[in-house]
Amino acid sequence: MAGAEEYVPAGAGIEELAAAVHDCRGCDLYKDATQAVFGEGPANATVVIVGEVPGDQEDRQGHPFVGPAGKLLDRALVEAGIDRTKVYVTNAVKHFKFKQAERGKRRIHQKPGRTEVVACRPWLLAELDTLRPDLVVLLGATAAQSLLGTGFKVTQERGKVVELPERPARAVATVHPSSVLRSDDREAAYQGLVEDLKSAASVIGQRQTRR
């Protein structure tokens, strides 16, 4: 698997990157996905939220976090005191990975493999290098391990503020909102997500005070 690096235009801004991603052939996910789904948000965002991979609705609409998990995230951000309009949202992998249901037309989400995460990582790094956020919020193991290494355990480190390797930013990892939707105790899982996001919000406040 060649990886995306050769497709990422050097020194590009967010709009140029968002246009270039549609020509990416760094892994095979582009063959079945409807389109690449790049990040969205203000170019001066101080907070970047990174998820796993576009879902069914994101793949169809071409925008990140527009499905059920995205709506839950929006609600949790409000409760945590984070202004959603000032946040840039993206995914570690830019193409939807799925398998076709045995019956009907439903597409079942699949977790991207490590090779696909590594192949797509140049796009995520390009976003971070262009935006230069103060804080990166990592949703789920795929996102967290894409930037913090495969040894990082979200279950053990969630809600903690850590330094992002090789970049002047802090990071907070938490569960992906989709896991909240799948939880047997959805309310408890949701409150846990909100508490982790409140930890992230405290970092934002610190950084804003220093400016």
Side-chain angles (χ1 to χ4, degrees):
M1 195 173 291
E5 192 166 7
E6 64 180 284
Y7 301 96
V8 180
I14 287 296
E15 290 186 5
E16 188 178 352
L17 290 169
V21 75
H22 295 287
D23 295 322
C24 185
R25 303 294 182 265
C27 76
D28 289 338
L29 293 183
Y30 78 92
K31 294 179 179 180
D32 295 321
T34 304
Q35 58 195 315
V37 181
F38 206 62
E40 291 183 354
N44 62 347
T46 57
V47 181
V48 170
I49 294 179
V50 183
E52 179 187 81
V53 65
D56 180 74
Q57 288 301 312
E58 288 79 7
D59 175 70
R60 296 179 191 278
Q61 298 182 39
H63 302 288
F65 288 96
V66 293
K71 291 179 173 58
L72 186 142
L73 175 63
D74 289 347
R75 181 160 62 94
L77 288 171
V78 170
E79 288 197 33
I82 297 175
D83 187 345
R84 175 66 175 80
T85 65
K86 297 180 180 179
V87 171
Y88 181 94
V89 293
T90 191
N91 284 295
V93 174
K94 310 305 184 191
H95 284 101
F96 181 35
K97 183 176 182 178
F98 64 94
K99 65 179 180 180
Q100 199 70 45
E102 293 183 8
R103 296 181 181 180
K105 298 181 179 180
R106 190 164 67 93
R107 302 183 301 174
I108 302 172
H109 161 272
Q110 287 189 301
K111 182 178 179 178
R114 183 63 186 169
T115 54
E116 292 155 344
V117 173
V118 172
C120 206
R121 194 167 180 264
W123 290 112
L124 178 57
L125 295 181
E127 288 174 294
L128 295 178
D129 289 341
T130 301
L131 295 165
R132 301 187 63 169
D134 291 336
L135 177 71
V136 179
V137 179
L138 301 161
L139 304 177
T142 297
Q145 293 179 4
S146 70
L147 294 178
L148 299 174
T150 56
F152 187 87
K153 305 295 184 185
V154 174
T155 52
Q156 298 174 12
E157 304 294 331
R158 61 179 295 180
K160 297 180 181 178
V161 181
V162 299
E163 297 296 324
L164 197 66
E166 301 179 9
R167 275 162 180 80
R170 293 182 180 182
V172 173
T174 185
V175 297
H176 195 284
S178 62
S179 72
V180 175
L181 295 173
R182 296 191 303 268
S183 176
D184 293 333
D185 189 345
R186 188 178 295 185
E187 183 57 32
Y190 176 74
Q191 290 304 323
L193 172 62
V194 171
E195 288 304 311
D196 292 342
L197 291 175
K198 285 181 178 179
S199 177
S202 69
V203 177
I204 300 168
Q206 292 169 16
R207 292 301 175 96
Q208 289 176 336
T209 300
R210 292 178 189 147
R211 289 180 178 176

